[in-house]
Amino acid sequence: METVLTLLLIRFAIIATIVTVVAVTLFGIAVHLKRRGKWNATKRQLGPMAERAADLYTRRSRSSARGSWTARAARSAAQRLNEDGDRS
């Protein structure tokens, strides 16, 4: 039993580390693009793609046991990314 718990803890640590590294990397890329003045062009290109991905997620989440609040949050985030106004 102790071995199983140890393996689960190690797996959780690896997953948490990967998620943290990806989040920090994406944040660093966004800051770099913003400083170079290329954020608006990147945002215009990513906006429609994010909305399509949110739509696909919405359709998938309706057919499974997941709650619809995650689909609404993904759709809201995609719409905010696809807005024309730059509030930053």
Side-chain angles (χ1 to χ4, degrees):
M1 182 69 175
E2 185 177 325
T3 306
V4 173
L5 291 176
T6 303
L7 290 174
L8 288 174
L9 183 61
I10 291 171
R11 186 181 76 171
F12 174 75
I14 291 171
I15 291 171
T17 303
I18 291 171
V19 168
T20 303
V21 168
V22 168
V24 168
T25 303
L26 290 176
F27 180 74
I29 290 170
V31 168
H32 179 74
L33 288 172
K34 187 133 177 103
R35 285 187 180 172
R36 299 281 181 198
K38 298 179 181 179
W39 174 247
N40 287 333
T42 304
K43 190 173 157 182
R44 277 192 302 273
Q45 292 175 348
L46 288 178
M49 187 173 29
E51 286 211 27
R52 284 193 301 271
D55 288 339
L56 288 172
Y57 180 72
T58 301
R59 277 188 257 144
R60 193 184 98 211
S61 67
R62 285 184 186 156
S63 63
S64 67
R66 293 187 179 138
S68 62
W69 68 272
T70 56
R72 285 194 311 265
R75 181 80 178 139
S76 175
Q79 285 175 344
R80 185 174 171 112
L81 181 65
N82 203 20
E83 285 180 346
D84 290 334
D86 189 19
R87 288 189 233 45
S88 52

